[in-house]
Amino acid sequence: MNSAVQLYATTLLVYLAVNLIASWALDIQFGVTGVLNFGFILFQSAGAYTAALLSLGPARASGGFQQYIGGWQLPFPLPIVGAILVGAALGWLVGWVGLRRLRGDFQAVVLLVVSVVATLVVESVPGFLNGDAGLSLIPKPLSGVAGLTGVTYAWAYVGLCFLSCGLVAILVARLVHSPYGRVLRAVRENDALADAMGRSSTRARLQVFVLGGALAALSGALLVEFTTAWAPSGWLYPETFVYFTIVIIGGRASLPGVAVGAALIAVGIQQAVQLLPIGADATVLASLQWVVIGLLTLAFLWWRPQGLIPERVRRFGAPSPSTPLAAEKLSEGAGS
Amino acid sequence: MTELVSALGFGLVTAAILSVSAVGFTLQYSVSNVLNLAFVSIMTASGFVAYGLIVAGLNLWLAIALASLVGGCLSALINWGIYTPFIRRGTSTFGMVIVTISTALIGQNLIEAAVGPGFFSFGVATGRAVDVGGLVLTGDQVITMGIALVLMAATYVGLEYTRLGRAMRALSVNPALARACGVDTGRVVALAWFASGVLAGAGGALLFLDTATFSVTTGSYFLIVIIAAAVFGGVGSARGAFLGALILGVATEVAGAYWIPELKDVVAFAVLVAVLLVRPRGLFSEIATLRQAVG
C-alpha cells in the first residue's frame, strides 16, 4: 500500500475505534439502563477539549494565534486521564441536576438543551476555548519518540486506540453481565420495582451518567489527539443522534450489535457519502446524510426495534412469556 | 434608565414570540402526551414560508397568516403520518421522544437542503417607529405583540369556553375518562396538533421577523427558551407556559442588555437549572403525571 492509502486506512480505523468506545458508552446509558442522554456529545467534547488543553501548553506560547483558559503541556497518558476524570465529573454534575424529578421524556429534552447551551457558550466566549474557530495544532502524543513518524506513527496510534477499545469492551461486557448489570436492566424495565427491591434507580442512573461520561470523554480525547483540532461545529447537538442511531440499529444493550452499528453508521455512511459523484453540493449532501440517519432510525424502530443483533436475555427458572425485552419496552412498553 | 426601558421593550417583544411558541408546545404536549421535538422544525419551516412570501411582495399580515396555516397543516400531517402510527403500535413515551427527534432531524435537514446553511435577513425594519412613553418600538414589533396578544386571547377563550377546549383539557387530565365520557379523542388530539402547529407557525414567522439575521439553526437556539418557559411554568400547563414565557422573555432581554448579548439565552438556561433544583415540577405545576400517549 502506498502511504496515502495507509493514512486513509489508519484514519478510518481510528474513527472506528473512537466510535466503538462512544457507542458502548451511550449503550450503557440508553441501551442497558434506559436513560435518554440527549446531551451525550457534550461529554465526548469535554474530553476532547480537556485533552487538548492538557497538551497544548499555555496560550501565550501560541503568540496570540488562539485563546483559551489554562493550558498545560503534560506527558502522554496524563491528558487522556485528565479527560476521563473531567468527563466523569461532568457526568456527575449534569446527572445531578438533569436527572431530577422530571418525566423521562422531558429529562431528555433538558439534556438536549444542555448540549445546545454548551455550544452557545463556547461559541460566544472567545477567550474560553477559542470560540467558533476551535482549538487546533494540538500536539500528537509521543510523536518523535521512538522514531515514530508519518505512517508508522499513524499505525501505532491505531494500536493505542484499539487497545483502549479492547479495555473498554472488557469493562463494559463484565459490567453488563454482572449482578450490577442486572440492577441497571431492572431500572430500565421497571424503575419503581427496582426501587422497591432496595436498588435506588436514581443512584443507578447517576452512576451510568458518570461512567458513560468518562468513556465518552475518553473517545473524545483519543479522537482529538489524532485529528489535532476540535471546534464547536463538530459537536452540534445532532451529533448525539448518530450514536443513538448506532445503538438502535445495532441492538440496544447488545455489545456486538452496537459494534456492527458503529461500523455501519459512523464509518460506512460517512464514507459512502464521500464516494457519491462529485459535483453534488457538499452542504446538500451533508443535509441528506442526516435525513438518511433519521429515516434509518424510524425504519428500525418500526420494522426491527430490537436491532440487527438483539440483546440476549437470560431467563431464570421457567421461561415466562411476560419477560420483557428492551426492544419490546420501546415498541410496546409500559408508559413510563 | 433609557437602556432599561428599551431592554424592557425588547423583552416584551421576545416574551410575545416566546409565549406563542411555548403555549403551542405545551398545549400539544398536554393533550397528546407526546413530546414533539419537531416543533422547532415546524417553526423554522413556517418562518421560511413567511420570509419567502414577504420577499415575493405579499402583505405582511397575509404572509404570517399563511405561514401559520402551513405550520398547522405540517403539524397535523406529522402527527397523522408518523406519530399516530407509532403510538397505535404501542410505542412508549420513552420511544416517542426518539421518534420525534428523528423526525425533527429529518425536517431540519430537508429545510437546510432547500434553503442552504446561510443567513437571511428582512433588511431594514418596515413601518413607522412607535414611541410609548420613552419605549421606542418599530412597526414590526408592535405588529408582533398585537398578533401574539390576539393568539393568546384566542387560545385562552378556546380552551376555557368552548366544547373543544373543554375536551382538550379533559384529555390532558385523564384520557381514559375523557374517552369514556364520549370525547372523540382521535379528533380532539388531531385538532390539538393543528392548533399547536398554527401557534408554532406564527411563532416561527414572528421569530424570523424579529431576528436581524436568521438561519436554519435559529430555531434550535430558541428551543432553549421554549423548554425553559415550559418547565418554568410546570410541564403541561398552558397557563404556566404563558407566565413562564412572559417572565423569561423580559428577563433574558434585560440580562442581555447588561451582559454579553449572545448569552441572553443562557440566562433562560440558568433559570431552568434553578427551577429544576428548587421546584422540579415547575412554579405553577398542575399535571406532569405519568400516563400513556393518546392516539
Side-chain angles (χ1 to χ4, degrees), chain B residues 8 56 97 139 203 237 244 247 275 282 285:
Chain B
L8 276 177
V97 198
S237 154
I247 296 169
V275 169
S285 51

Side-chain angles (χ1 to χ4, degrees), chain A residues 116-210:
Chain A
V116 177
V117 166
T119 315
L120 190 62
V121 170
V122 172
E123 279 182 344
S124 325
V125 187
F128 180 32
L129 293 164
N130 208 34
D132 250 346
L135 301 175
S136 51
L137 300 182
I138 298 153
K140 295 192 173 203
L142 297 181
S143 52
V145 180
L148 291 174
T149 47
V151 175
T152 338
Y153 177 80
W155 280 111
Y157 201 84
V158 169
L160 172 72
C161 288
F162 274 93
L163 181 70
S164 316
C165 189
L167 289 175
V168 170
I170 293 168
L171 172 78
V172 172
R174 290 194 66 108
L175 183 94
V176 169
H177 297 118
S178 69
Y180 181 67
R182 284 202 292 279
V183 173
L184 297 183
R185 282 195 294 277
V187 170
R188 176 188 73 195
E189 299 297 338
N190 189 336
D191 53 353
L193 188 63
D195 281 328
M197 303 294 280
R199 304 283 190 273
S200 165
S201 60
T202 313
R203 196 186 303 152
R205 289 199 182 98
L206 193 53
Q207 283 163 349
V208 296
F209 244 74
V210 172

Side-chain angles (χ1 to χ4, degrees), chain B residues 109-134:
Chain B
N109 283 286
L110 285 178
I111 301 169
E112 187 164 343
V115 303
F119 281 87
F120 296 82
S121 169
F122 276 110
V124 190
T126 53
R128 278 183 315 123
V130 184
D131 191 331
V132 192

Side-chain angles (χ1 to χ4, degrees), chain A residues 42-69:
Chain A
L42 174 61
F43 298 93
Q44 187 180 52
S45 181
Y49 277 124
T50 308
L53 287 182
L54 293 182
S55 41
L56 266 169
R60 290 186 303 279
S62 74
F65 167 67
Q66 44 189 358
Q67 289 182 311
Y68 44 84
I69 51 154

Side-chain angles (χ1 to χ4, degrees), chain A residues 178-248:
Chain A
S178 69
Y180 181 67
R182 284 202 292 279
V183 173
L184 297 183
R185 282 195 294 277
V187 170
R188 176 188 73 195
E189 299 297 338
N190 189 336
D191 53 353
L193 188 63
D195 281 328
M197 303 294 280
R199 304 283 190 273
S200 165
S201 60
T202 313
R203 196 186 303 152
R205 289 199 182 98
L206 193 53
Q207 283 163 349
V208 296
F209 244 74
V210 172
L211 180 65
L215 293 180
L218 167 66
S219 78
L222 286 173
L223 185 58
V224 80
E225 304 253 89
F226 187 76
T227 60
T228 73
W230 196 259
S233 59
W235 53 280
L236 298 175
Y237 76 94
E239 302 288 338
T240 296
F241 298 97
V242 176
Y243 293 111
F244 269 91
T245 305
I246 287 172
V247 173
I248 287 169

Side-chain angles (χ1 to χ4, degrees), chain A residues 287-288 291, chain B residues 104-116:
Chain A
S287 300
L288 291 183
V291 173
Chain B
L105 214 56
I106 295 169
Q108 192 74 19
N109 283 286
L110 285 178
I111 301 169
E112 187 164 343
V115 303

Side-chain angles (χ1 to χ4, degrees), chain A residues 34 103 105 109 290 302 331, chain B residues 33 35 89-91 94 97 109:
Chain A
R103 229 175 75 164
D105 48 0
V109 185
W290 284 110
W302 185 259
S331 65
Chain B
N33 208 23
L35 198 148
R89 278 210 158 182
T91 308
F94 182 81
V97 198
N109 283 286

